[in-house]
Amino acid sequence: MTTISQNAPTSSGMRWLRALADRLAGRSLAETGRQMLLPAIGIVLFLGFWHLAAPQVQTSLGAFPGPAEVWDQSGQLWQEHSAQRERADKFLAMQLERNQRILAENPDADVKIRDYTGAPTFFDQILTSLITVLAGFALATVIAVPLGIIVGLNRHFSAAVNPLIQVFKPVSPLAWLPLVTMVVSATYVSDDPMFEKSFLTSMITVTLCSLWPTLINTSVGVSAVNPDLLNVSKVLRLSFWTHVRKVVLPSSVPMIFTGLRVSLGIAWMVLIAAEMLAQSPGLGKFVWDEFQNGSSESLSRIMVAVLAIGFIGFLLDRVMLVIQKKVAWNE
Amino acid sequence: MESTKKLRTLAAALLLATGLGTAQAEIGPAEKPDLKLGFIKLTDMAPLAVAWEKGFFLDEGLFVELIAQANWKVLLDGVVTGTLDGAHMLAGQPLGATIGYGTQADIITAFSMDLNGNGITVSNDVWEQMSPQIPSNTQGNPVHPISASTLKPLIESYRNRGERFRMGMVFPVSTHNYELRYWLAAGGLNPGLYAPQRGDTSGTIDADVHLSVTPPPQMPATMEAGTIQGYCVGEPWNQQAVFKGIGVPVITDYEIWPNNPEKVFGVTEAWAEKNPNTHLRLLRALIRAAHWLDENNNANRPEAVEILARSSYVGADEEVIANSMTGTFEYEKGDVRKVPDFNVFFRYYATYPYPSDAIWYLSQMRRWGQIPEPKSDDWYMETAAKVYRADIYKQAAKSLIEDGSLSAGDFPDLDAENFARPHQGELIDGVAFTPREPNAYINSFEIGLNGAETP
């Protein structure tokens, strides 16, 4: 069975990883050495430039932080995290003890274990952001892939939906956010809510902004299925579902994944902006709070967050790539 | 070491919480023990941070999460929509919301968070041009309080160049807006009128000085960028300007009106009705925290500074926060003066929600056109009584006296009427504040709306 395949663009970062893999596989040492060397030189040059340039930039909060300050600050953030975790553990232990005592007095008492109410640390915020982005991205995928398939299969449907896609695609998360916030507040009313409102707001904003690349790529992939295959499907009188499953999906999987990777990148970028504006928990709030603190350490701490955001974005992309390789059996 | 100490406090607080219950027999268990409270990164959020760190919330069986907010608008929306249970608020916010200026919502307050605590800062450039007009004292430092009239030549030169002289305040119904306007008007400068009935909410009609909204923590950066030439804001953002060498505080609000009311703790009326016990327990914790902040002649302030400097609270450097929190204030670099009452949290009955506070804010809303049509004196009284809920405060205060946490001497006579805030000095322009005759008070100003005038 032949299918049209679309090669995912290869980035230099990927080549670097591949070089690492090749080396493990025992490829030519000189070859891989060269491939490892250039990125390493790039990083060292960047650090050097950063180190030299940073002190030249004087802000009202002191000089711009160089790599050393940022490194120190990341250690500091880790220490704060450990200290906070210790307090949280004690808090939990005390609650358990207290509940036990209450239960001993009154076995029917309604006891509850509460989460620690102390301020979230940098690492708590990373976790919150990751969960939110994955939830938003999953929701976007669930909407965009089926919709994209329908758009790709049906010319009329496509014509009807296309203007909407074109209009909503470029809308910034900052424009969606006020609407989403108000709608969530008005419609999600519950005394014992399953999710935080702020989580839903961030998640829906991420979904609204990140579903378009997947939707568009899926529809393009689906509509570009080889006509020969379509004819074969017609001749065999495949049912609609079988047609989609056996013919359409396998051909369009590479395109769908290209879309998913772009979507995930956008989702991550959008999330940070949404968190900053809406003050929902996450890395975005961390950055905004630090900016507001205006302490002498604030800039270094924001820089740590910037690097973390970049690194996590990079990792998310790698993970998608690995999944794509596993799924795209035709490549 | 530090964290073990904190843990011990936490442990003690929890043990207390379990053993308690008998002491406050008259207040039932909290209807909603898990609370989210909002605050803005300012030193006057201290009662919230202290109530958390000292375990006062836990004593009341409350599990409170304190969440910093981006600006006053976001904070108000959070309380209105229920994302937040309550928040550190500008005194004008519950009043503005109740009368429908901006967001319409029934918000009440039963706790005044502090007195004083703001300052007006101008950029170095403006200061250079202002200072020749200011007389010096024997040490060669400028004589305080500095009148806004010293800005006049400068504003004249801006006008001749066809430019606007701009200053920042933090929110249209903020204390800062009214204090800045008060200071400017006392110096003969018109800060401009609002005309909400025509949709003009910029507040710059006929303005000599154009005021605009900037969130507190962004003030220094906005002034540094040249968008505004000065601002009125709470601490630590005036001292920050001194530390960073970008501006000079010219006057504190203590000099504009000694012991003026500042922030309040606000919740929606509906929330308070639904959770009366929770509300009382919150108030108990906050009153104790305010007491802790001022007790033994501010002995706990250094510890409070250390708490506030944590990045999850105010987060500015300790030395910056300490400057104002420990009774001094640095004007020009090196010109450090004693302002022992710069931040008052408990003494002078600071926490009591006096209706006269509300009347003053409403009078300024009317003066500057935010209330575009004249209102009767009764209307002012009724609005004040609806928003400033001394009745709820009294219940909380009495229960604290009963269980021995605080003594009756810490509070005003709770069964008296308690209308006007005591211990207040005269305002900078010498106009007497007559809270029982708000219309007569409004009419006694030269700048601003009088009588039946409409902007």
Side-chain angles (χ1 to χ4, degrees), chain B residues 9 153 312:
Chain B
T9 329
S312 51

Side-chain angles (χ1 to χ4, degrees), chain A residues 58-62 80 83 86-88 90-91 94-95 97-98 101-102 112 114-120 181-182 185 191 196-198 276-279 285 288-298 301, chain B residues 3 6-7 10-12 14-15 17-18 33-34 36 41 52-53 58 61 63-71 74 77 81-83 215 217-218 221 224 237 240 244 246 274 310-317:
Chain A
Q58 282 296 331
T59 75
S60 65
L61 292 177
E80 281 172 27
E86 257 175 54
R87 296 177 74 185
K90 285 276 186 259
F91 183 81
M94 277 183 288
Q95 281 195 83
E97 200 182 305
R98 181 189 174 196
R101 205 161 345 116
I102 294 174
K112 190 174 163 187
R114 293 188 159 79
D115 289 339
Y116 182 57
T117 54
T181 309
M182 297 317 281
S185 302
D191 276 341
E196 298 279 347
K197 276 182 182 170
S198 55
M276 267 176 108
L277 193 73
Q279 297 289 287
K285 181 160 168 60
W288 191 251
D289 281 352
E290 281 302 332
F291 172 53
Q292 295 214 315
N293 282 352
S295 114
S296 48
E297 290 169 348
S298 289
R301 291 162 77 100
Chain B
S3 69
K6 267 175 240 151
L7 282 173
L10 203 67
L14 265 175
L15 288 175
T18 54
D34 303 282
K36 286 188 164 59
K41 289 178 173 282
W52 203 102
E53 296 291 336
L58 287 176
F63 297 83
V64 172
E65 214 179 310
L66 296 175
I67 309 166
Q69 304 294 307
N71 58 54
V74 168
D77 287 345
T81 59
T83 320
Q218 271 96 270
E224 204 183 359
W237 310 117
Q240 181 88 323
K244 306 308 171 201
I246 57 172
K274 201 174 157 204
R310 294 183 200 158
S311 66
S312 51
Y313 297 125
V314 181
D317 291 344

